[in-house]
Amino acid sequence: MTWVDFTNAANWFQDLNALPHIQEIELSSCDLGTFPRSLSHVNFTSLTTLDLGYNDINSTIPDWLGNIKNLKSLDLSSNSLCGSVPASIGNLSLLQHLVLYSNDLNGTISKGIGQLKSLAYLDLSSYSISYNFIELNKSDDWIPPFQLQSLSMDFCQIGPTPQFPKWLQTQTALRQLYLSANNLNGMFPESIKRLKGLRDLDLYNNSLSLSEDDLANLSSLKYLVISYNSIYLNKSDDWIPPFQLNTLFMEFCQILPMPQFPKWLRTQTTLDELDLSNAGIKETIPNWLPSGLEYLDLSNNMIDGEIPQFFPKLKYLFLSNNSFSGNLSPNSSNLLLLDLSSNKLVGGVPDSLCNLQTLESLHLSHNNLSGPIPLCLKSCTELATLDLGHNNFIGNIPTWIGESLLSLKTLNLRSNAFNGSIPRLSSLPSLRILDLSNNNLSGNIPEELGNLHGLRSLNLSKNYLIGQIPWSIGGMKQLEVLDLSRNNLSGAIPSDLAALNFLDHLNLSYNNLSGRIPNGNQLQTFIDPSIYAGNPNLCGPPLIKNCTVNIAKANKEEQSEDSSKSRMETLWLYTSITLGFIIGFWATCGSLLLQQTWRTSYFRAIDNMFDKLYVMMVVTVAKYKRKL
């Protein structure tokens, strides 16, 4: 057996001594919590790879790791390791790959690492060390026994007065150097200028000054990240860099002396990724930028003009927060993400946008776009984000959104002029954010919304919705934000809202809600009365209106109303009897007085009736006497 993978296994093994010839052990993401004791008692003669990353191991690095003599790769990343790297690590003479990123290691890195003569890959990112790291560099002429190919020291906090170790210039085999967020300042280090074989250089988020001359020898450079620095890479229009980049990130850079597109970019014909966001650029996009770009981020500048049409291979285009104007008409059929929010675009959504059937994220908010949402967008079935907020779109919200865009995770249609009712969206199992606020929507909140069990944010505020709050909303167990304010909702607040344990923001103000505010669980944490303001018939904490007094008053009013109603019913009864008698009396007597024939017939009938009664009485008395 050469390789064993126990990843995510609960009981990974009992006796490692039975497996002495294992070459690779993969135990990442197993929630071990500690170093397995079994490993310390086994004589691994063949083990070359040990991966214990992502296990939340909270301890120091044990000395016995230095006894695994043939180890070539050791990964202890993303744990909670503390203390220093033990000197015994220096016994691993064959170790080539050492990964210690994302731990709580501190103090000095021992001399043991300086003895790893085979070391080629070292990752110390997020290693909270002091500059005592230069225990490896007691003298300026110290030459390490290893030749690194990759060194990662991102977020290492090697400040506040860092000095780059001069031994870096001896690492002629170095291909990757990552030093982001290290409080580095001043001029570009001499030790890096001499690394002619360097392919990847990441100096993100430091305070270094970088000029054209600093890069003169880095002819192999392909990946350059110098964001959040002061950059002097625009001195002359005729400068030709010695490298051909694939990736250039220069966000939040001070592009000096002029905040414009560096002319030397026209020489970078192999450039795939370019980030010049937040660089203060104030010109239109030049047509000489590399046409092979697949990733372009120019957001948060002052670029004007129309949307560029000369990047046919683009997959990710970020142009938000600029001054682009005109119609919306991107021409790249490969786009996966398009962000044109916060510009000055006008008109409707063109049909050409519907040809982007691979599109996963569309951001058009904060423009002046108008018209209905085009039907052809239903063909963009891969859409996960649809953000059309803060425009002038009109009409009903299409029902096909809930029928065709089944991958949708975010739907933002806020601050438009949509009307009609809320369509059925219950067939969107991945929906996480739904914002339909500040429109002209009417009708009831669909009960089916409660079937969106994964929803985390629901905002239906500032509409004309009526009816009650659906009790099904209490089934949205992942809900963190619920805003139904400024509608015409009525009835009681569903008590099931108290079961929304992740609810962090609630606003039910300015409706016609009534009754007692539910308490218990999560609702008890909402103590701001403004949450329920504008609902005069609500009572109970956090409002000052007492529900007991309110109910007693309501009962008294109800009893008074019942008593008044009873008196009115009695009055109507007697009035009806009196009116009935009067109407009946005068209907009979009036007819006899006014019609002689009726009067004669009436009295004749009376006489006949008395005669019959007299005869019946005489006969009955005679029968009675005979019986006696």
Side-chain angles (χ1 to χ4, degrees):
M1 182 177 292
T2 61
W3 179 79
V4 178
D5 183 0
F6 297 109
T7 303
N8 296 319
N11 298 310
W12 42 284
F13 53 79
Q14 297 294 329
D15 189 3
L16 280 172
N17 285 302
L19 303 170
H21 301 296
I22 293 178
Q23 293 182 5
E24 300 181 18
I25 294 180
E26 165 65 63
L27 288 173
S28 64
S29 303
C30 284
D31 295 323
L32 296 177
T34 184
F35 284 97
R37 293 183 179 180
S38 302
L39 291 176
S40 62
H41 302 299
V42 179
N43 183 20
F44 290 110
T45 58
S46 302
L47 189 64
T48 60
T49 300
L50 178 60
D51 187 349
L52 299 177
Y54 294 88
N55 274 297
D56 197 27
I57 298 176
N58 188 4
S59 68
T60 58
I61 299 176
D63 286 328
W64 54 260
L65 283 176
N67 298 330
I68 309 177
K69 302 296 186 181
N70 293 316
L71 203 61
K72 294 182 179 180
S73 177
L74 176 60
D75 190 341
L76 303 177
S77 61
S78 294
N79 284 291
S80 299
L81 300 176
C82 56
S84 301
V85 178
S88 61
I89 290 295
N91 298 331
L92 304 177
S93 58
L94 300 179
L95 194 67
Q96 301 173 4
H97 192 277
L98 178 59
V99 183
L100 300 174
Y101 70 81
S102 294
N103 280 288
D104 295 324
L105 296 167
N106 52 58
T108 61
I109 297 178
S110 73
K111 299 177 182 179
I113 290 181
Q115 300 171 6
L116 300 175
K117 61 182 180 180
S118 301
L119 195 62
Y121 183 99
L122 178 59
D123 192 341
L124 303 174
S125 300
S126 298
Y127 190 132
S128 299
I129 60 175
S130 66
Y131 204 64
N132 288 330
F133 172 71
I134 308 306
E135 284 290 325
L136 296 178
N137 190 15
K138 286 188 174 180
S139 61
D140 290 344
D141 57 355
W142 180 76
I143 300 177
F146 47 71
Q147 273 292 326
L148 294 176
Q149 296 181 17
S150 179
L151 174 61
S152 299
M153 293 176 60
D154 298 326
F155 299 91
C156 270
Q157 302 177 24
I158 58 177
T161 56
Q163 296 178 3
F164 282 87
K166 293 186 178 181
W167 58 264
L168 272 180
Q169 64 191 21
T170 69
Q171 302 299 294
T172 56
L174 199 63
R175 298 293 180 265
Q176 298 173 320
L177 180 59
Y178 304 101
L179 298 172
S180 63
N182 273 296
N183 296 322
L184 303 173
N185 55 60
M187 303 303 294
F188 192 72
E190 290 290 333
S191 55
I192 296 180
K193 293 180 183 180
R194 302 178 184 181
L195 301 177
K196 295 183 178 181
L198 198 63
R199 292 175 56 88
D200 295 0
L201 177 60
D202 187 348
L203 299 174
Y204 171 87
N205 197 17
N206 286 286
S207 300
L208 294 169
S209 295
L210 182 64
S211 67
E212 298 165 355
D213 296 337
D214 294 324
L215 304 178
N217 293 324
L218 304 182
S219 56
S220 300
L221 209 57
K222 296 292 183 183
Y223 176 93
L224 179 60
V225 177
I226 47 180
S227 304
Y228 291 87
N229 286 282
S230 297
I231 307 301
Y232 293 83
L233 294 181
N234 201 21
K235 286 186 177 180
S236 60
D237 292 344
D238 56 353
W239 180 60
I240 300 178
F243 45 73
Q244 274 290 328
L245 295 176
N246 299 132
T247 298
L248 174 61
F249 282 10
M250 294 175 59
E251 60 179 318
F252 279 99
C253 280
Q254 300 179 34
I255 302 178
L256 301 171
M258 293 292 292
Q260 60 186 17
F261 289 95
K263 295 294 192 298
W264 58 269
L265 286 179
R266 69 177 68 194
T267 68
Q268 303 300 295
T269 57
T270 62
L271 201 62
D272 297 325
E273 299 176 307
L274 175 61
D275 187 342
L276 293 174
S277 61
N278 296 279
I281 298 174
K282 299 181 180 180
E283 62 176 345
T284 58
I285 299 178
N287 58 10
W288 47 257
L289 283 181
S291 60
L293 285 171
E294 297 182 4
Y295 179 102
L296 177 60
D297 190 347
L298 301 176
S299 57
N300 299 298
N301 283 288
M302 290 172 276
I303 304 171
D304 55 14
E306 296 187 350
I307 298 171
Q309 303 290 314
F310 36 84
F311 301 111
K313 296 183 179 180
L314 270 180
K315 295 182 179 179
Y316 302 92
L317 178 59
F318 301 87
L319 299 177
S320 62
N321 289 293
N322 280 285
S323 298
F324 290 103
S325 58
N327 295 319
L328 174 62
S329 55
N331 70 335
S332 176
S333 59
N334 301 311
L335 275 174
L336 298 176
L337 184 148
L338 177 60
D339 188 351
L340 300 173
S341 57
S342 299
N343 280 284
K344 300 177 181 179
L345 301 175
V346 297
V349 177
D351 291 343
S352 60
L353 192 64
C354 304
N355 297 327
L356 308 178
Q357 297 186 11
T358 60
L359 196 63
E360 297 176 358
S361 189
L362 177 61
H363 302 263
L364 301 176
S365 65
H366 293 88
N367 281 286
N368 294 313
L369 298 172
S370 57
I373 299 177
L375 176 64
C376 62
L377 269 183
K378 68 184 298 184
S379 63
C380 300
T381 55
E382 300 300 318
L383 267 179
T385 299
L386 178 59
D387 184 357
L388 305 179
H390 295 275
N391 280 287
N392 300 311
F393 290 109
I394 60 173
N396 292 340
I397 298 176
T399 57
W400 52 258
I401 290 180
E403 297 169 353
S404 301
L405 306 184
L406 302 182
S407 300
L408 210 57
K409 295 182 179 179
T410 298
L411 177 59
N412 181 11
L413 303 179
R414 69 177 300 161
S415 299
N416 281 283
F418 291 114
N419 52 32
S421 59
I422 299 174
R424 294 188 61 180
L425 301 171
S426 56
S427 58
L428 301 177
S430 301
L431 197 62
R432 298 293 179 265
I433 298 174
L434 176 59
D435 192 343
L436 307 179
S437 63
N438 199 20
N439 280 285
N440 299 317
L441 300 176
S442 57
N444 295 318
I445 300 176
E447 191 75 28
E448 296 84 0
L449 276 184
N451 296 330
L452 299 173
H453 299 301
L455 202 67
R456 287 180 168 82
S457 178
L458 175 61
N459 191 344
L460 304 178
S461 64
K462 299 179 182 178
N463 281 289
Y464 300 96
L465 301 174
I466 61 173
Q468 297 185 337
I469 299 174
W471 286 78
S472 60
I473 289 182
M476 297 178 174
K477 301 301 184 183
Q478 303 299 318
L479 204 62
E480 300 174 13
V481 175
L482 177 61
D483 192 341
L484 304 177
S485 63
R486 299 185 182 276
N487 281 285
N488 297 316
L489 300 173
S490 57
I493 299 174
S495 59
D496 284 2
L497 294 187
L500 301 178
N501 295 327
F502 295 102
L503 197 62
D504 184 61
H505 174 83
L506 176 66
N507 193 349
L508 302 178
S509 62
Y510 299 98
N511 282 284
N512 296 314
L513 301 172
S514 58
R516 183 189 295 273
I517 297 173
N519 53 24
N521 296 339
Q522 193 67 10
L523 288 184
Q524 288 183 336
T525 65
F526 297 108
I527 59 176
D528 184 359
S530 66
I531 292 172
Y532 306 102
N535 292 282
N537 296 319
L538 280 179
C539 61
L543 300 179
I544 59 175
K545 190 173 184 179
N546 192 311
C547 283
T548 304
V549 173
N550 191 51
I551 293 172
K553 181 179 179 182
N555 290 338
K556 185 176 180 180
E557 290 176 354
E558 185 177 353
Q559 291 174 1
S560 176
E561 183 180 352
D562 290 343
S563 177
S564 176
K565 184 177 181 182
S566 178
R567 288 196 299 271
M568 288 297 295
E569 289 175 350
T570 302
L571 179 60
W572 274 109
L573 176 63
Y574 287 117
T575 302
S576 300
I577 293 174
T578 302
L579 288 174
F581 174 77
I582 294 172
I583 293 171
F585 175 81
W586 282 106
T588 303
C589 296
S591 299
L592 294 177
L593 290 173
L594 295 174
Q595 296 287 338
Q596 183 179 0
T597 55
W598 286 14
R599 187 165 61 249
T600 303
S601 299
Y602 176 75
F603 286 114
R604 186 177 294 157
I606 293 294
D607 289 340
N608 290 336
M609 184 179 66
F610 277 114
D611 289 342
K612 289 181 180 180
L613 288 174
Y614 176 75
V615 172
M616 288 177 63
M617 183 179 67
V618 172
V619 173
T620 302
V621 171
K623 288 181 180 179
Y624 181 71
K625 287 181 178 181
R626 282 197 297 268
K627 289 181 179 181
L628 295 175

